[in-house]
Amino acid sequence: MNIILLGAPGAGKGTQAELICTHLSIPTISTGNIIRAALKSGTEMGLKAKSFMDEGKLVPDEVVIGIIKERLAEDDCANGFVLDGFPRTIPQAEALDAMGVVIDKVIDIEVPDENIVARMSGRRVCEKCGASYHLVYKKPENDGICNLCAGTLVQRKDDHPDTVMARLDVYHKETEPLKDYYSKQGKLAIVEGQEEIAETSALVLKEIEA
Ligand code: ADP
Ligand code: ZN
């Protein structure tokens, strides 16, 4: 099954993506994580992307489209995948269609804007492996330490309130039109993001099994 997760930054796409990939034994492909990894290892692409990311702007379409093309060609994608954070613009969605990639389902996780900023302020990520946590909704077993690799949990630079507002703006302008795009293809399912992660997960799994 080939799945796209849509939703505002902080809507919980990453968390739900992890759940789906465990459930269906398929990989999650997060363009955000791929770019952050490139940045950390200092590749040219990573350096190019940094300024856009830090300001809450989108990395240019041709860069992310290139990333996705390469990643989807890998063997582990043969039985399906979950896309988390791609596509984020209409040209990105068109590029995916042009590649001949058939998407089965697009799940949009809806969270009101007023809840997003509060959610984002509690978000923490593992410096080492990129796993995500939340001070309220998804606490690590030990404060400040990753459950998976014992790495240090930090706040992402682009999760600071000012940048979050910019990202929300970009989301409404550039990404939200994708709802219409996939609705016209008959693939869109909308899930209301709940306070409890497990409740959202139940709704997401219901859509996948529908
Ligand atoms: P979130 O889902 O919380 O917004 P991500 O980790 O998916 O965060 O993305 C972080 C940043 O990485 C974005 O603000 C953007 O700069 C860049 N990025 C990730 N995916 C894309 C994409 N598909 N197109 C353009 N930029 C992207
Ligand atoms: Zn970790």
Side-chain angles (χ1 to χ4, degrees), residues 122 124-126 133-147 150-154:
R124 297 293 181 273
V125 294
C126 173
Y133 297 87
H134 194 282
L135 298 183
V136 179
Y137 303 113
K138 197 185 173 193
K139 286 191 196 169
E141 281 156 22
N142 300 301
D143 281 352
I145 296 171
C146 179
N147 294 350
T152 306
L153 304 186
V154 296

PDB file of all heavy atoms in Angstrom, residues 122 124-126 133-147 150-154:
ATOM      1  N   GLY A 122       6.086  21.831  22.721  1.00  0.00           N
ATOM      2  CA  GLY A 122       6.458  20.671  23.534  1.00  0.00           C
ATOM      3  C   GLY A 122       7.193  19.598  22.766  1.00  0.00           C
ATOM      4  O   GLY A 122       7.591  18.581  23.313  1.00  0.00           O
ATOM      5  N   ARG A 124      10.041  17.516  21.011  1.00  0.00           N
ATOM      6  CA  ARG A 124      11.486  17.298  21.151  1.00  0.00           C
ATOM      7  C   ARG A 124      11.883  16.175  20.204  1.00  0.00           C
ATOM      8  O   ARG A 124      11.090  15.268  19.957  1.00  0.00           O
ATOM      9  CB  ARG A 124      11.849  16.880  22.583  1.00  0.00           C
ATOM     10  CG  ARG A 124      11.547  17.938  23.642  1.00  0.00           C
ATOM     11  CD  ARG A 124      12.437  19.176  23.502  1.00  0.00           C
ATOM     12  NE  ARG A 124      12.161  20.177  24.525  1.00  0.00           N
ATOM     13  CZ  ARG A 124      11.239  21.120  24.414  1.00  0.00           C
ATOM     14  NH1 ARG A 124      10.496  21.212  23.330  1.00  0.00           N
ATOM     15  NH2 ARG A 124      11.058  22.001  25.374  1.00  0.00           N
ATOM     16  N   VAL A 125      13.105  16.248  19.693  1.00  0.00           N
ATOM     17  CA  VAL A 125      13.586  15.161  18.840  1.00  0.00           C
ATOM     18  C   VAL A 125      14.934  14.655  19.341  1.00  0.00           C
ATOM     19  O   VAL A 125      15.694  15.390  19.964  1.00  0.00           O
ATOM     20  CB  VAL A 125      13.751  15.590  17.355  1.00  0.00           C
ATOM     21  CG1 VAL A 125      12.412  15.925  16.733  1.00  0.00           C
ATOM     22  CG2 VAL A 125      14.707  16.759  17.228  1.00  0.00           C
ATOM     23  N   CYS A 126      15.206  13.388  19.042  1.00  0.00           N
ATOM     24  CA  CYS A 126      16.499  12.819  19.415  1.00  0.00           C
ATOM     25  C   CYS A 126      17.550  13.335  18.448  1.00  0.00           C
ATOM     26  O   CYS A 126      17.406  13.224  17.231  1.00  0.00           O
ATOM     27  CB  CYS A 126      16.442  11.298  19.372  1.00  0.00           C
ATOM     28  SG  CYS A 126      18.059  10.557  19.621  1.00  0.00           S
ATOM     29  N   TYR A 133       9.408  13.093  20.191  1.00  0.00           N
ATOM     30  CA  TYR A 133       8.749  12.999  21.501  1.00  0.00           C
ATOM     31  C   TYR A 133       7.950  14.270  21.747  1.00  0.00           C
ATOM     32  O   TYR A 133       8.060  15.245  20.998  1.00  0.00           O
ATOM     33  CB  TYR A 133       9.811  12.845  22.607  1.00  0.00           C
ATOM     34  CG  TYR A 133      10.594  11.571  22.467  1.00  0.00           C
ATOM     35  CD1 TYR A 133      11.741  11.510  21.659  1.00  0.00           C
ATOM     36  CD2 TYR A 133      10.168  10.405  23.100  1.00  0.00           C
ATOM     37  CE1 TYR A 133      12.435  10.332  21.495  1.00  0.00           C
ATOM     38  CE2 TYR A 133      10.865   9.213  22.938  1.00  0.00           C
ATOM     39  CZ  TYR A 133      11.996   9.186  22.137  1.00  0.00           C
ATOM     40  OH  TYR A 133      12.672   8.010  21.977  1.00  0.00           O
ATOM     41  N   HIS A 134       7.149  14.238  22.809  1.00  0.00           N
ATOM     42  CA  HIS A 134       6.432  15.443  23.215  1.00  0.00           C
ATOM     43  C   HIS A 134       6.390  15.486  24.741  1.00  0.00           C
ATOM     44  O   HIS A 134       6.153  14.455  25.381  1.00  0.00           O
ATOM     45  CB  HIS A 134       5.020  15.434  22.626  1.00  0.00           C
ATOM     46  CG  HIS A 134       4.360  16.769  22.721  1.00  0.00           C
ATOM     47  ND1 HIS A 134       3.817  17.236  23.893  1.00  0.00           N
ATOM     48  CD2 HIS A 134       4.183  17.746  21.799  1.00  0.00           C
ATOM     49  CE1 HIS A 134       3.325  18.446  23.681  1.00  0.00           C
ATOM     50  NE2 HIS A 134       3.537  18.779  22.419  1.00  0.00           N
ATOM     51  N   LEU A 135       6.625  16.680  25.297  1.00  0.00           N
ATOM     52  CA  LEU A 135       6.712  16.801  26.754  1.00  0.00           C
ATOM     53  C   LEU A 135       5.408  16.401  27.443  1.00  0.00           C
ATOM     54  O   LEU A 135       5.406  16.001  28.601  1.00  0.00           O
ATOM     55  CB  LEU A 135       7.093  18.231  27.157  1.00  0.00           C
ATOM     56  CG  LEU A 135       8.454  18.734  26.665  1.00  0.00           C
ATOM     57  CD1 LEU A 135       8.740  20.133  27.181  1.00  0.00           C
ATOM     58  CD2 LEU A 135       9.575  17.779  27.062  1.00  0.00           C
ATOM     59  N   VAL A 136       4.292  16.539  26.734  1.00  0.00           N
ATOM     60  CA  VAL A 136       2.994  16.188  27.323  1.00  0.00           C
ATOM     61  C   VAL A 136       2.415  14.912  26.726  1.00  0.00           C
ATOM     62  O   VAL A 136       1.971  14.011  27.438  1.00  0.00           O
ATOM     63  CB  VAL A 136       1.974  17.342  27.132  1.00  0.00           C
ATOM     64  CG1 VAL A 136       0.616  16.967  27.724  1.00  0.00           C
ATOM     65  CG2 VAL A 136       2.504  18.639  27.734  1.00  0.00           C
ATOM     66  N   TYR A 137       2.425  14.824  25.389  1.00  0.00           N
ATOM     67  CA  TYR A 137       1.683  13.754  24.721  1.00  0.00           C
ATOM     68  C   TYR A 137       2.481  12.487  24.469  1.00  0.00           C
ATOM     69  O   TYR A 137       1.926  11.426  24.230  1.00  0.00           O
ATOM     70  CB  TYR A 137       1.128  14.253  23.385  1.00  0.00           C
ATOM     71  CG  TYR A 137       0.253  15.469  23.539  1.00  0.00           C
ATOM     72  CD1 TYR A 137       0.649  16.701  23.028  1.00  0.00           C
ATOM     73  CD2 TYR A 137      -0.964  15.385  24.209  1.00  0.00           C
ATOM     74  CE1 TYR A 137      -0.151  17.826  23.175  1.00  0.00           C
ATOM     75  CE2 TYR A 137      -1.770  16.491  24.366  1.00  0.00           C
ATOM     76  CZ  TYR A 137      -1.357  17.712  23.857  1.00  0.00           C
ATOM     77  OH  TYR A 137      -2.135  18.810  24.013  1.00  0.00           O
ATOM     78  N   LYS A 138       3.802  12.612  24.448  1.00  0.00           N
ATOM     79  CA  LYS A 138       4.608  11.430  24.126  1.00  0.00           C
ATOM     80  C   LYS A 138       5.927  11.531  24.873  1.00  0.00           C
ATOM     81  O   LYS A 138       6.992  11.770  24.290  1.00  0.00           O
ATOM     82  CB  LYS A 138       4.836  11.392  22.606  1.00  0.00           C
ATOM     83  CG  LYS A 138       5.299  10.057  22.071  1.00  0.00           C
ATOM     84  CD  LYS A 138       5.612  10.167  20.590  1.00  0.00           C
ATOM     85  CE  LYS A 138       6.226   8.909  20.046  1.00  0.00           C
ATOM     86  NZ  LYS A 138       6.796   9.125  18.701  1.00  0.00           N
ATOM     87  N   LYS A 139       5.824  11.360  26.200  1.00  0.00           N
ATOM     88  CA  LYS A 139       6.998  11.553  27.053  1.00  0.00           C
ATOM     89  C   LYS A 139       8.008  10.420  26.882  1.00  0.00           C
ATOM     90  O   LYS A 139       7.616   9.255  26.786  1.00  0.00           O
ATOM     91  CB  LYS A 139       6.551  11.554  28.521  1.00  0.00           C
ATOM     92  CG  LYS A 139       5.844  12.809  28.954  1.00  0.00           C
ATOM     93  CD  LYS A 139       5.700  12.784  30.471  1.00  0.00           C
ATOM     94  CE  LYS A 139       4.670  13.801  30.905  1.00  0.00           C
ATOM     95  NZ  LYS A 139       4.312  13.651  32.312  1.00  0.00           N
ATOM     96  N   PRO A 140       9.301  10.758  26.921  1.00  0.00           N
ATOM     97  CA  PRO A 140      10.307   9.684  26.933  1.00  0.00           C
ATOM     98  C   PRO A 140      10.295   9.001  28.305  1.00  0.00           C
ATOM     99  O   PRO A 140       9.804   9.584  29.274  1.00  0.00           O
ATOM    100  CB  PRO A 140      11.612  10.442  26.711  1.00  0.00           C
ATOM    101  CG  PRO A 140      11.350  11.813  27.240  1.00  0.00           C
ATOM    102  CD  PRO A 140       9.903  12.099  26.979  1.00  0.00           C
ATOM    103  N   GLU A 141      10.818   7.791  28.380  1.00  0.00           N
ATOM    104  CA  GLU A 141      10.851   7.090  29.672  1.00  0.00           C
ATOM    105  C   GLU A 141      11.704   7.851  30.686  1.00  0.00           C
ATOM    106  O   GLU A 141      11.361   7.930  31.854  1.00  0.00           O
ATOM    107  CB  GLU A 141      11.396   5.666  29.468  1.00  0.00           C
ATOM    108  CG  GLU A 141      10.333   4.725  28.899  1.00  0.00           C
ATOM    109  CD  GLU A 141      10.906   3.534  28.163  1.00  0.00           C
ATOM    110  OE1 GLU A 141      12.080   3.166  28.414  1.00  0.00           O
ATOM    111  OE2 GLU A 141      10.169   2.965  27.314  1.00  0.00           O
ATOM    112  N   ASN A 142      12.815   8.402  30.215  1.00  0.00           N
ATOM    113  CA  ASN A 142      13.660   9.234  31.076  1.00  0.00           C
ATOM    114  C   ASN A 142      13.750  10.626  30.474  1.00  0.00           C
ATOM    115  O   ASN A 142      14.021  10.769  29.280  1.00  0.00           O
ATOM    116  CB  ASN A 142      15.077   8.649  31.187  1.00  0.00           C
ATOM    117  CG  ASN A 142      15.050   7.250  31.773  1.00  0.00           C
ATOM    118  OD1 ASN A 142      14.581   7.040  32.889  1.00  0.00           O
ATOM    119  ND2 ASN A 142      15.503   6.275  30.998  1.00  0.00           N
ATOM    120  N   ASP A 143      13.542  11.647  31.327  1.00  0.00           N
ATOM    121  CA  ASP A 143      13.542  13.032  30.833  1.00  0.00           C
ATOM    122  C   ASP A 143      14.760  13.350  29.979  1.00  0.00           C
ATOM    123  O   ASP A 143      15.892  13.122  30.396  1.00  0.00           O
ATOM    124  CB  ASP A 143      13.534  14.008  32.022  1.00  0.00           C
ATOM    125  CG  ASP A 143      12.127  14.147  32.611  1.00  0.00           C
ATOM    126  OD1 ASP A 143      11.178  13.621  31.995  1.00  0.00           O
ATOM    127  OD2 ASP A 143      12.003  14.781  33.670  1.00  0.00           O
ATOM    128  N   GLY A 144      14.507  13.881  28.792  1.00  0.00           N
ATOM    129  CA  GLY A 144      15.593  14.379  27.963  1.00  0.00           C
ATOM    130  C   GLY A 144      16.411  13.305  27.266  1.00  0.00           C
ATOM    131  O   GLY A 144      17.410  13.614  26.619  1.00  0.00           O
ATOM    132  N   ILE A 145      15.983  12.045  27.395  1.00  0.00           N
ATOM    133  CA  ILE A 145      16.787  10.960  26.801  1.00  0.00           C
ATOM    134  C   ILE A 145      15.932  10.073  25.895  1.00  0.00           C
ATOM    135  O   ILE A 145      14.806   9.713  26.239  1.00  0.00           O
ATOM    136  CB  ILE A 145      17.435  10.110  27.923  1.00  0.00           C
ATOM    137  CG1 ILE A 145      18.429  11.001  28.701  1.00  0.00           C
ATOM    138  CG2 ILE A 145      18.161   8.890  27.358  1.00  0.00           C
ATOM    139  CD1 ILE A 145      18.957  10.365  29.948  1.00  0.00           C
ATOM    140  N   CYS A 146      16.467   9.725  24.741  1.00  0.00           N
ATOM    141  CA  CYS A 146      15.737   8.912  23.771  1.00  0.00           C
ATOM    142  C   CYS A 146      15.548   7.473  24.257  1.00  0.00           C
ATOM    143  O   CYS A 146      16.496   6.843  24.716  1.00  0.00           O
ATOM    144  CB  CYS A 146      16.516   8.910  22.447  1.00  0.00           C
ATOM    145  SG  CYS A 146      15.737   7.920  21.158  1.00  0.00           S
ATOM    146  N   ASN A 147      14.305   6.992  24.134  1.00  0.00           N
ATOM    147  CA  ASN A 147      14.007   5.601  24.514  1.00  0.00           C
ATOM    148  C   ASN A 147      14.768   4.602  23.652  1.00  0.00           C
ATOM    149  O   ASN A 147      15.103   3.507  24.088  1.00  0.00           O
ATOM    150  CB  ASN A 147      12.519   5.285  24.290  1.00  0.00           C
ATOM    151  CG  ASN A 147      11.607   6.077  25.212  1.00  0.00           C
ATOM    152  OD1 ASN A 147      12.071   6.735  26.149  1.00  0.00           O
ATOM    153  ND2 ASN A 147      10.323   6.029  24.934  1.00  0.00           N
ATOM    154  N   ALA A 150      19.157   6.291  23.534  1.00  0.00           N
ATOM    155  CA  ALA A 150      19.760   7.027  24.654  1.00  0.00           C
ATOM    156  C   ALA A 150      20.409   8.351  24.232  1.00  0.00           C
ATOM    157  O   ALA A 150      21.147   8.957  25.006  1.00  0.00           O
ATOM    158  CB  ALA A 150      20.739   6.155  25.443  1.00  0.00           C
ATOM    159  N   GLY A 151      20.096   8.799  23.006  1.00  0.00           N
ATOM    160  CA  GLY A 151      20.578  10.107  22.561  1.00  0.00           C
ATOM    161  C   GLY A 151      19.898  11.228  23.332  1.00  0.00           C
ATOM    162  O   GLY A 151      18.912  11.012  24.036  1.00  0.00           O
ATOM    163  N   THR A 152      20.433  12.439  23.199  1.00  0.00           N
ATOM    164  CA  THR A 152      19.871  13.606  23.884  1.00  0.00           C
ATOM    165  C   THR A 152      18.693  14.182  23.100  1.00  0.00           C
ATOM    166  O   THR A 152      18.759  14.301  21.880  1.00  0.00           O
ATOM    167  CB  THR A 152      20.961  14.694  24.015  1.00  0.00           C
ATOM    168  OG1 THR A 152      22.095  14.113  24.648  1.00  0.00           O
ATOM    169  CG2 THR A 152      20.476  15.876  24.840  1.00  0.00           C
ATOM    170  N   LEU A 153      17.629  14.547  23.807  1.00  0.00           N
ATOM    171  CA  LEU A 153      16.470  15.152  23.145  1.00  0.00           C
ATOM    172  C   LEU A 153      16.624  16.663  23.103  1.00  0.00           C
ATOM    173  O   LEU A 153      16.949  17.294  24.110  1.00  0.00           O
ATOM    174  CB  LEU A 153      15.177  14.771  23.882  1.00  0.00           C
ATOM    175  CG  LEU A 153      14.930  13.273  24.045  1.00  0.00           C
ATOM    176  CD1 LEU A 153      13.551  13.032  24.659  1.00  0.00           C
ATOM    177  CD2 LEU A 153      15.053  12.541  22.713  1.00  0.00           C
ATOM    178  N   VAL A 154      16.394  17.223  21.932  1.00  0.00           N
ATOM    179  CA  VAL A 154      16.552  18.675  21.757  1.00  0.00           C
ATOM    180  C   VAL A 154      15.317  19.244  21.053  1.00  0.00           C
ATOM    181  O   VAL A 154      14.527  18.508  20.469  1.00  0.00           O
ATOM    182  CB  VAL A 154      17.798  19.007  20.900  1.00  0.00           C
ATOM    183  CG1 VAL A 154      19.068  18.567  21.609  1.00  0.00           C
ATOM    184  CG2 VAL A 154      17.713  18.358  19.520  1.00  0.00           C
TER     185      VAL A 154
END
